[in-house]
Amino acid sequence: MPIIVNLDVMLAKRKMQSKELAEKLGITPVNLSILKTGKAKGVRFDTLEAICKILECQPGDILEYKEE
């Protein structure tokens, strides 16, 4: 898949666990895991905005495009 999700990298930089981010986002840890592993078919802009607000980052810090 050409879209790479670097959410684990940002979580590590912010010293935050996935469970804590899921709680702050109001989603289940399972749904966050699906997003983190790149298995999600899409992400809502309001979810992306909330992630960026919580982690104090830009969308480009989380999502990356690489040609196959």
Side-chain angles (χ1 to χ4, degrees):
M1 184 171 169
I3 301 295
I4 309 298
V5 181
N6 294 315
L7 194 49
D8 279 336
V9 174
M10 288 308 301
L11 285 168
K13 286 182 179 180
R14 300 299 186 252
K15 296 182 172 111
M16 183 182 292
Q17 294 183 353
S18 297
K19 183 180 176 182
E20 182 182 351
L21 179 59
E23 288 173 3
K24 289 183 178 190
L25 289 172
I27 64 174
T28 66
V30 173
N31 283 338
L32 183 60
S33 177
I34 290 169
L35 178 59
K36 282 178 20 182
T37 58
K39 293 180 181 176
K41 295 290 183 185
V43 60
R44 293 174 48 169
F45 281 132
D46 60 340
T47 302
L48 183 58
E49 178 183 355
I51 291 169
C52 290
K53 185 175 183 177
I54 292 165
L55 296 178
E56 298 176 353
C57 65
Q58 295 294 314
D61 296 328
I62 298 169
L63 301 174
E64 178 183 353
Y65 173 77
K66 283 194 178 178
E67 287 191 46
E68 292 184 296

